[in-house]
Each structure stands twice: as structure tokens, then as C-alpha cells.
């Protein structure tokens, strides 16, 4: 097996997730050796700060690994084997508006779902294309971009239309985080689960969860209907452990009580329980505030601590499935392992009733030059109806971005299940246009 050490560039180097990803990568160093990690960001000050923590992680985990910090795409991507993308266009300041503007109109306010997700999508499409072009210009021909940048569904659709041949694989850690919780319920390691799943990103269902060939859906259904997707362990978990995440996992309880056949992605709460979510949201204090006062603040505290004393800061930054998953997918590509992972790929007949160019989240075998899809097949009417509505909302948004069309944007907002009418859609869209002047393409 070719074990040449990898050069990995992280775009969005100033992210709150960077240190956790680097730690997860370096912890796998024996099976997946890394020669160099490069952090790339547009925001030099933020990245330089985060780099203090990343440098600490490298020094304490794998001091032989070279760390490069840059705002130059050429320096970041030249000769790279992988680009891990995790950019947030507009930072938390814009996330806050994505969440608060819809809430002011009585609609779900969320990072990737509903009006907020559409607005975030409109900001992110063109910066992602630029990033891909820079990767293609400088990196190895064999380089893959593994993209975590949200909203992953919209990003995936736009990239598939504008750069269909680019080596970009869009991924999401939510199914893996759910698998972690399911494996805790079952008392097994999450790597022992063999799952079947279909849907769009942040919009799908597990149809099978097997351990050693045995179907565990009945046991999981019974547990979730009683407790939600939770055991005692989750409360102590570093990833997804804030009160709002615990509530999210708990909300799978009513969902599985109402629709017992499959196990839902947690994000379906925003579409199927929108009224409940809005009722329990505070338009003055949303998840963006919780993150800024939680994960981001803790990270900055750890950085200050390192600067002051070089003290021990483990536990003060985000580690867990998020970093493990992107490292696992990269390893599957690097060594052509063709491991089975849930990834976001063109439908091409996988889910009957969705167009070929829908970007669907499904299990596939991930290899060096190719992702090998596994068959999904027919899905019942209820699920297909939900998928089609969400897909077309997102497709209208991408149309709007590419054509600079106000009308298509209004159609995207109107089609979204979290928005009750065209009138409300228009009010939210018009406020979003104002708030996003600096970021959105002009809509006419
Ligand atoms: P963050 O704001 O802490 O970090 C994002 C960084 O990206 C910032 O430092 C910012 O300056 C930088 N950036 C913005 N535009 C850029 C560009 N064009 N080029 C290079 N850098 C750029 O955000 P975060 O909360 O750590 O999240 C980072 C991203 O990862 C978000 O898009 C988030 O939604 C996504 N995410 C996805 C998953 C998933 O499962 N798909 C999981 C976690 C986070
Ligand atoms: C999950 C999702 C990501 C999302 C993240 C948000 O991990 O899969 O796509 O970005 O949650 O988490 P946050 O803690 O920033 O609200
Ligand atoms: Mn995700």
C-alpha cells in the first residue's frame, strides 16, 4: 500500500473546527501519515489566532509535521493532495442574521435549513467556485477537495452545474454524529454499524442499521420513541453537546413516534416541526449567539492560555466525529480503500423519482478516482414528496444565483416548507437582500 505522507490544505483555516480536524488527522498518523498541513483563509488575523492552537496540536501530537499558515492560494494549494474546505462566507455575524431575519417573520431561523440556509447558499456559491478554481490551478491533478462548507446541498448542486468534472466531494458529519448516538444506544462502536440511508443533505432517513448482519432498526425505534436519540453519554460528548443539540436529538422522539418506519436525520425537525421550533426559538438569541459564546469563545480562551503560559488546553476545542470523518474519507481516497461512507453525489437514478442531477446523500464506496454509488431504489410517496419539494426549493435558489434572478429567488423561498406563503417569502427575501448586499450577486 502506498503510504506516501500527504499534504493537506485546510481552506477556512480560521474555523472553530480546524484544531479538531488537525488533531483527528494526526491521531490517525500511523495509518494515514501527513507530511504538511497548510491553513488557508482570507481573514489573516482570525487564522493567525487559530494557528496558535493548531501549532500547539501539531507540537504535542506530531512535531515532525510541517505547518504552513497562509492567505495566498498558491502557497496553500501547490502540490496539495487534499483540500479540506470549511469556509463560512460572512462569518457568524451573517449566520446570526440568517437565523434572526426569518424568526422575525415567524419562520424557522437556521444555519442551513429554510430561509437562512437559502441566504447562506446565495453567499457561498461563488466563493466556493473560486476556491475550486484555485485548487485546480495549483494542486496536484489527483487532488480532491472534501467539502464541509455549508449549506452543503446548495453548494453541491451549484458545483455540479458549474464545475461538473472537478474533484470535489461534499460531505456532512451529521449522519456520522447520529451513528455515534445510535451506536451508544446499541452499546457498540460506531464503526461496527452498516447503514442504508437516502435523502438530500440535512434531509434524509436511515432505512437500515445493521450490526454484524443483524437489523437494529426495531430496537432503535423503540429506544428513540421513548428517549429520543440520546443516552447518558451524549450529554458529555464534546461534539453536539450544547443544550440546543441535546434538544435536537430529543426531538427525534416525536418524529419517530409519528413516522416510525425510518430513522430521521435530526435536521428534519426544522421541516416537520417548524411551528414547534419557532415557538421555542428566541429571536434575540439564536444558535449563532450560543456558538459565539460557547465553541468560539472557548477556542479563543484556549489560544490566550497557550499564548500566556503554554498550558494544557485539551478539551477546550472541538474534537470528535467531525475530524474523524473527514480523515476517514480522505484515507479511503488516498489508498483507494473503497470504504462505504455517506456522501453527497449526483443521483443518476439512485433515488427513483428524483432527477439525475439531484445531489443526493447516499451510501457509496469511496475510491481514489471515483465514488462508486450503491443502489437505493424507490422511496415511499411521503418521503419522495418531501424530497422533491426541498430539492426544487434549493434548485430555484441555485438558478437565482446563476441567472441573477429575483423571481427565481422568490420561488426558492416560497417553495421552502418552512415558509407559509409567497407574501412571507417575499418579505424575508427582501430583508435578506438588504442584509446580504456585500455578499449576494445582484438579483433583477
Ligand atoms: P468559522 O466562521 O469559525 O470559520 C470559517 C472560516 O472560513 C473563517 O475563518 C473565515 O474567515 C473563512 N472564510 C470565509 N470565506 C472564505 C473564503 N472564501 N476562503 C477562505 N476562507 C474563508 O465557521 P465554523 O463554524 O467553524 O464553520 C466552518 C464551515 O464548516 C461552515 O460552513 C459550517 O457550516 C461548516 N460545517 C459543516 C459541517 C458539515 O457537516 N458539513 C460540520 C461543521 C461545520
Ligand atoms: C452539524 C452539521 C453541520 C453543521 C453543524 C452546525 O454537525 O452536520 O453541517 O454546520 O452541525 O453546528 P453548530 O454547532 O455550528 O450549530
Ligand atoms: Mn452537515
Amino acid at each position: 500500500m502506498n503510504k506516501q505522507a500527504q499534504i493537506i490544505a485546510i481552506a477556512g483555516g480560521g474555523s472553530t473546527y480546524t484544531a479538531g480536524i488537525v488533531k483527528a488527522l494526526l491521531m490517525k498518523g500511523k495509518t494515514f501519515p501527513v507530511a504538511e498541513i497548510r491553513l488557508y483563509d482570507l481573514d489573516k488575523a482570525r487564522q493567525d489566532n487559530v494557528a496558535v492552537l493548531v501549532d500547539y496540536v501539531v507540537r504535542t501530537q506530531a512535531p515532525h509535521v510541517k505547518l504552513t499558515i497562509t492567505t495566498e492560494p498558491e502557497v496553500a494549494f501547490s502540490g496539495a493532495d487534499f483540500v479540506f474546505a470549511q469556509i463560512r462566507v460572512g462569518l457568524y455575524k451573517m449566520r446570526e442574521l440568517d437565523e434572526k431575519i426569518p424568526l422575525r417573520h415567524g419562520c424557522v431561523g437556521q444555519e442551513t435549513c429554510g430561509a437562512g440556509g437559502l441566504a447562506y447558499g446565495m453567499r457561498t456559491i461563488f466563493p466556493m467556485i473560486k476556491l475550486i478554481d484555485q485548487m485546480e490551478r495549483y494542486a496536484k491533478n489527483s487532488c480532491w477537495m472534501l467539502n464541509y462548507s455549508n449549506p452543503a446541498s446548495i453548494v453541491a448542486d451549484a458545483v455540479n452545474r458549474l464545475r461538473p468534472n472537478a474533484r470535489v466531494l461534499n460531505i456532512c458529519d451529521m449522519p456520522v454524529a447520529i451513528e455515534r448516538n445510535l451506536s451508544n444506544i446499541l452499546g457498540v462502536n460506531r464503526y461496527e454499524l452498516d447503514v442504508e440511508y437516502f435523502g438530500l443533505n440535512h434531509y434524509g432517513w436511515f432505512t437500515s442499521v445493521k450490526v454484524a448482519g443483524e437489523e437494529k432498526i426495531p430496537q432503535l425505534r423503540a429506544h428513540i420513541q421513548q428517549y429520543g436519540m440520546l443516552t447518558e453519554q451524549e450529554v458529555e460528548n464534546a461534539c453536539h453537546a450544547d443544550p440546543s443539540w441535546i434538544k435536537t436529538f430529543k426531538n427525534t422522539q416525536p418524529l419517530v413516534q409519528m413516522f416510525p418506519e425510518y430513522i430521521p436525520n435530526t435536521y428534519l425537525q426544522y421541516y416537520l416541526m417548524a411551528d414547534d421550533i419557532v415557538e421555542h426559538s428566541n429571536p434575540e438569541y439564536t444558535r449563532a449567539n450560543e456558538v459565539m459564546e460557547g465553541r468560539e469563545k472557548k477556542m479563543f480562551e484556549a489560544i490566550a492560555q497557550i499564548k500566556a503560559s503554554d498550558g494544557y488546553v485539551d478539551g477546550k476545542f472541538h474534537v470528535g466525529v467531525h475530524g474523524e470523518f473527514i480523515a476517514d474519507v480522505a484515507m479511503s481516497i488516498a489508498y483507494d480503500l473503497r470504504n462505504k461512507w455517506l456522501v453527497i453525489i449526483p443521483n443518476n437514478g439512485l433515488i427513483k423519482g428524483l432527477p439525475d442531477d439531484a445531489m443526493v446523500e447516499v451510501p457509496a464506496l469511496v475510491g481514489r478516482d471515483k465514488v462508486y454509488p450503491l443502489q437505493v431504489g424507490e422511496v415511499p410517496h411521503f418521503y419522495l414528496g418531501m424530497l422533491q419539494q426541498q430539492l426544487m426549493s434549493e434548485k430555484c435558489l441555485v438558478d437565482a444565483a446563476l441567472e441573477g434572478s429575483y423571481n427565481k429567488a422568490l420561488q426558492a423561498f416560497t417553495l421552502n416548507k418552512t415558509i407559509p406563503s409567497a407574501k412571507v417569502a417575499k418579505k424575508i427575501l427582501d430583508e435578506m437582500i438588504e442584509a446580504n448586499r456585500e455578499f449576494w450577486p445582484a438579483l433583477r
Side-chain angles (χ1 to χ4, degrees):
M1 194 184 279
N2 170 18
K3 286 257 165 125
Q4 204 187 339
Q6 310 284 311
I7 299 178
I8 296 179
I10 302 183
S15 155
T16 53
Y17 291 96
T18 304
I21 288 178
V22 170
K23 182 157 183 190
L25 258 178
L26 299 183
M27 284 172 74
K28 289 181 190 284
K30 281 213 169 72
T31 43
F32 189 43
V34 172
E36 183 176 354
I37 288 170
R38 301 187 187 149
L39 305 190
Y40 167 72
D41 206 292
L42 301 181
D43 185 334
K44 183 174 185 321
R46 185 180 175 89
Q47 177 168 262
D48 283 348
N49 221 357
V50 170
V52 172
L53 181 55
V54 176
D55 176 63
Y56 166 89
V57 171
V58 172
R59 274 189 285 121
T60 51
Q61 291 286 323
H64 60 279
V65 171
K66 184 176 174 196
L67 179 62
T68 301
I69 319 296
T70 182
T71 54
E72 295 293 327
E74 184 171 0
V75 176
F77 304 137
S78 291
D81 296 290
F82 287 97
V83 175
F84 291 180
Q86 44 161 0
I87 64 171
R88 183 183 291 286
V89 181
L91 297 164
Y92 291 129
K93 185 168 149 271
M94 290 309 298
R95 175 177 180 172
E96 198 177 352
L97 292 174
D98 290 342
E99 294 167 349
K100 291 183 178 175
I101 291 173
L103 274 174
R104 278 185 220 140
H105 297 278
C107 294
V108 168
Q110 214 280 323
E111 177 196 22
T112 65
C113 299
L118 296 172
Y120 188 16
M122 191 70 99
R123 285 201 300 282
T124 309
I125 290 172
F126 294 108
M128 277 303 299
I129 296 295
K130 188 169 171 189
L131 202 60
I132 292 164
D133 289 349
Q134 288 166 334
M135 169 183 87
E136 293 200 319
R137 177 154 178 212
Y138 298 117
K140 283 183 184 163
N141 288 335
S142 59
C143 181
W144 275 93
M145 177 181 287
L146 299 183
N147 179 54
Y148 262 148
S149 313
N150 272 320
S153 250
I154 289 171
V155 167
D157 185 61
V159 171
N160 188 47
R161 290 201 219 180
L162 293 173
R163 299 291 182 271
N165 300 317
R167 287 164 75 99
V168 178
L169 185 60
N170 294 281
I171 56 172
C172 170
D173 67 11
M174 196 69 241
V176 191
I178 292 171
E179 287 171 27
R180 173 200 60 209
N181 288 21
L182 299 183
S183 62
N184 288 344
I185 293 168
L186 298 170
V188 300
N189 184 305
R190 77 174 169 86
Y191 288 93
E192 291 175 57
L193 302 188
D194 182 18
V195 307
E196 302 301 330
Y197 183 96
F198 71 91
L200 309 170
N201 180 238
H202 290 185
Y203 205 99
W205 293 266
F206 290 88
T207 58
S208 170
V209 178
K210 287 185 180 159
V211 177
E214 195 187 325
E215 185 56 73
K216 296 292 184 184
I217 290 264
Q219 185 184 340
L220 291 167
R221 177 187 299 129
H223 179 101
I224 296 168
Q225 286 176 339
Q226 201 171 354
Y227 306 106
M229 222 176 252
L230 287 169
T231 62
E232 306 267 300
Q233 279 149 284
E234 277 72 55
V235 183
E236 290 158 20
N237 238 313
C239 264
H240 308 108
D242 285 343
S244 59
W245 271 110
I246 298 300
K247 178 93 174 62
T248 293
F249 285 119
K250 188 97 183 109
N251 273 345
T252 56
Q253 178 186 11
L255 288 180
V256 175
Q257 282 171 349
M258 286 185 281
F259 307 105
E261 51 274 50
Y262 303 143
I263 294 179
N265 191 302
T266 48
Y267 279 91
L268 285 160
Q269 67 171 343
Y270 297 110
Y271 300 93
L272 292 169
M273 299 168 61
D275 47 359
D276 199 71
I277 294 290
V278 172
E279 194 189 319
H280 292 100
S281 296
N282 176 357
E284 306 304 324
Y285 191 88
T286 58
R287 177 66 188 155
N289 303 107
E290 197 180 34
V291 171
M292 286 185 274
E293 290 174 20
R295 182 169 72 235
E296 190 187 43
K297 185 161 169 258
K298 243 165 117 183
M299 177 185 77
F300 285 134
E301 281 167 6
I303 291 163
Q305 197 177 325
I306 296 167
K307 281 180 175 167
S309 65
D310 219 8
Y312 177 77
V313 297
D314 270 13
K316 291 212 168 162
F317 59 93
H318 211 63
V319 279
V321 294
H322 181 79
E324 287 166 12
F325 180 51
I326 197 165
D328 283 335
V329 173
M331 189 155 53
S332 194
I333 290 174
Y335 305 144
D336 202 22
L337 300 178
R338 304 185 193 192
N339 289 329
K340 182 176 168 186
W341 297 114
L342 296 187
V343 290
I344 303 163
I345 55 175
N347 185 43
N348 288 332
L350 291 172
I351 300 177
K352 302 270 178 284
L354 292 189
D356 284 349
D357 70 349
M359 294 302 284
V360 294
E361 193 161 45
V362 287
L365 307 180
V366 179
R368 179 177 295 137
D369 295 311
K370 210 174 151 202
V371 171
Y372 304 85
L374 302 162
Q375 206 54 43
V376 178
E378 294 203 359
V379 301
H381 288 155
F382 172 67
Y383 301 92
L384 185 60
M386 283 192 65
L387 287 169
Q388 286 173 335
Q389 180 180 15
Q390 175 67 7
L391 176 70
M392 291 307 150
S393 168
E394 293 178 346
K395 278 201 169 289
C396 285
L397 192 278
V398 177
D399 291 340
L402 304 194
E403 297 167 24
S405 163
Y406 178 89
N407 185 251
K408 295 271 169 73
L410 182 56
Q411 291 176 353
F413 280 64
T414 304
L415 253 186
N416 202 279
K417 194 168 165 57
T418 65
I419 300 173
S421 74
K423 262 192 182 165
V424 177
K426 185 169 184 339
K427 281 187 190 152
I428 298 175
L429 172 61
D430 289 345
E431 272 189 47
M432 286 295 191
I433 290 175
E434 253 336 284
N436 281 280
R437 286 230 169 274
E438 201 189 317
F439 301 101
W440 278 17
L443 301 181
R444 279 180 203 89

